[in-house]
Amino acid sequence: MRILLIEDDPGLGSAVRDEIAAEGHVPDLAPTLAYARDLVATMSYDLILLDLGLPDGRGLDFLKALRAKGSVTPVMILTAHDRITERIEGLNAGADDYIVKPFDLAELTARINAVARRYSGNPNPLISLGGLEIDLAAHAIHGPDGQIDLSQREWIIFEALLQRPGQIVSKSQIEDQLYSFDAEVESNTIEVYVSRLRKKLGKDVVHTIRGLGYRLGTP
Amino acid sequence: MRILLIEDDPGLGSAVRDEIAAEGHVPDLAPTLAYARDLVATMSYDLILLDLGLPDGRGLDFLKALRAKGSVTPVMILTAHDRITERIEGLNAGADDYIVKPFDLAELTARINAVARRYSGNPNPLISLGGLEIDLAAHAIHGPDGQIDLSQREWIIFEALLQRPGQIVSKSQIEDQLYSFDAEVESNTIEVYVSRLRKKLGKDVVHTIRGLGYRLGTP
DNA sequence: AGGTGGCGTTCAGGTGGCTGTCAGGTTCAC
DNA sequence: GTGAACCTGACAGCCACCTGAACGCCACCT
């Protein structure tokens, strides 16, 4: 997914861009509104992340101009904690969602995915996978023998794979999803969870690539 | 990606610009240095392709001025086959890479992608190679018959080649990637791995240059 | 308040994929 | 023609991973 990040803070900009890229999206970073205008004139984006305070103008004015031109690209605004009026104004100007600084990068990812799902014509995706019907938003799985329930941790791991079909997700990436920053996991917890997912959902739902990680099975 | 092509030959200029655009980049073509200066004053480019012989001046002087101003935009110079001194001077003046005329457009694309990866901070490129779609960060390869998995060591060797398209990578360089410093490999391990890559990905994915090493196959 | 069962984590024994090697054959520079 | 470089199928051993079972915790139910 093509994502344009309009953010002048170099540190935040880099961190967010790297996170978006790590999630498999294709990010562009514009530190100014002028550059952002050039980009949206020539590129087609699936989502825009918009900071409201830019060095060469107001993010809000950029957003209004975008909507005035008829663009329906989803826009998520980045706002400071105490800027409530600004937030409301942004939503009124046509933003689809907002996230409050400072934010956790994992939360940003989840929010991005949520906005993208809402606006890609697939707001509540059912995913078909090898005889399973999966409803991510409702955490519901329907298999050939009926409803299948996963525990919270099992869902976290399964979603980590579902969000990256075709990609290898390393054990350390899964650990990062499950535990707080830098927590050391001492045993083969991940393997046991994967085994349980296989038991509940079928042995082909997760493929192991030895030494690298796991990958979602092919539908 | 925004690419500025500084080339006075109309035929070559058009062909390269069209190829760059077809690859999803956003090219600008400047047939003179004066025009190029105007463009770089107002636009931010991700890469500059620079011919050294222009009607209104030397490409080398343009490059030196660019670096003197503090620009770190990657620059790839286009040089004639026999202009070795010019090539060296270009690299010394701050060029990041060079490509020798006449060149294959597919090789140019691969080289552009490689330079952009080194300098753009975007570690998650999709690479197309002979019917394969390769996602380096996610260790994902999609071939004509579906998903292809490589082992950890196979990836290391494949990446060593992917990161140097068009270049010969020696066996000792590959050994350095695989093993710790100064480890002596006693047998034909590298040849066996290359054979396995060919088996999984196709026999043209790696070319052997006898006595020198291996090179990535052409897309 | 006490009992229960689901969940998270750990462990141990087993397994099969990966790694490195080798041998026989092919290719090619000289 | 020759010898070095390379190719590739096959094999053995290692260890990353699998999975059944167990235990402690705690939310929930009675």
Side-chain angles (χ1 to χ4, degrees), chain B residues 59-78:
Chain B
L60 279 179
D61 292 335
F62 174 90
L63 174 57
K64 286 173 182 172
L66 202 65
R67 297 290 180 238
K69 271 187 281 183
S71 169
V72 295
T73 302
V75 174
M76 178 183 294
I77 56 179
L78 317 179

Side-chain angles (χ1 to χ4, degrees), chain A residues 142-155:
Chain A
H142 208 81
D145 301 315
Q147 200 69 27
I148 301 173
D149 289 323
L150 302 183
S151 70
Q152 185 190 21
R153 304 283 213 192
E154 289 164 353
W155 265 114

Side-chain angles (χ1 to χ4, degrees), chain A residues 11-33:
Chain A
L12 181 61
S14 296
V16 170
R17 181 193 58 197
D18 291 346
E19 171 72 12
I20 291 168
E23 291 296 322
H25 302 302
V26 183
D28 286 332
L29 173 59
T32 64
L33 288 174

Side-chain angles (χ1 to χ4, degrees), chain A residues 37-210:
Chain A
R37 285 190 195 98
D38 290 332
L39 288 173
V40 300
T42 57
M43 298 300 304
S44 177
Y45 289 100
D46 300 307
L47 173 66
I48 295 176
L49 302 177
L50 174 64
D51 190 33
L52 295 181
L54 280 307
D56 56 343
R58 293 207 312 158
L60 280 179
D61 293 332
F62 173 88
L63 175 55
K64 288 172 179 174
L66 202 65
R67 297 290 181 238
K69 270 186 279 185
S71 168
V72 294
T73 301
V75 174
M76 178 182 293
I77 55 180
L78 316 179
T79 75
H81 181 271
D82 56 338
R83 302 296 197 94
I84 299 167
T85 303
E86 195 176 63
R87 203 138 70 226
I88 293 170
E89 197 175 346
L91 292 170
N92 287 341
D96 300 280
D97 202 352
Y98 63 86
I99 192 163
V100 179
K101 296 173 176 175
F103 46 80
D104 184 69
L105 289 173
E107 185 197 355
L108 177 65
T109 296
R111 301 285 293 279
I112 286 172
N113 289 332
V115 169
R117 279 198 298 277
R118 278 206 290 281
Y119 293 89
S120 69
N122 193 9
N124 186 19
L126 283 179
I127 299 171
S128 285
L129 184 74
L132 302 171
E133 293 292 322
I134 302 155
D135 186 331
L136 274 178
H139 283 162
I141 302 177
H142 208 81
D145 301 315
Q147 200 69 27
I148 301 173
D149 289 323
L150 302 183
S151 70
Q152 185 190 21
R153 304 283 213 192
E154 289 164 353
W155 265 114
I156 291 173
I157 296 181
F158 195 31
E159 279 177 340
L161 298 171
L162 285 168
Q163 284 161 356
R164 302 169 177 80
Q167 298 179 18
I168 292 173
V169 186
S170 67
K171 273 167 55 181
S172 67
Q173 284 175 301
I174 295 175
E175 283 163 4
D176 287 345
Q177 296 272 356
L178 284 172
Y179 308 108
S180 62
F181 181 76
D182 258 352
E184 286 294 316
V185 187
E186 297 285 288
S187 68
N188 65 332
T189 304
I190 306 299
E191 289 90 347
V192 174
Y193 278 126
V194 169
S195 180
R196 288 173 180 167
L197 282 174
R198 285 173 172 140
K199 192 159 194 169
K200 289 182 171 181
L201 305 174
K203 63 179 171 59
D204 296 321
V205 83
V206 181
H207 284 215
T208 303
I209 298 85
R210 188 191 174 101

Side-chain angles (χ1 to χ4, degrees), chain B residues 51-52 77-84 86-87 98-102:
Chain B
D51 191 31
L52 295 181
I77 56 179
L78 317 179
T79 74
H81 180 272
D82 55 350
R83 303 294 197 95
I84 298 167
E86 195 175 63
R87 205 138 70 226
Y98 64 88
I99 191 164
V100 178
K101 296 173 173 176

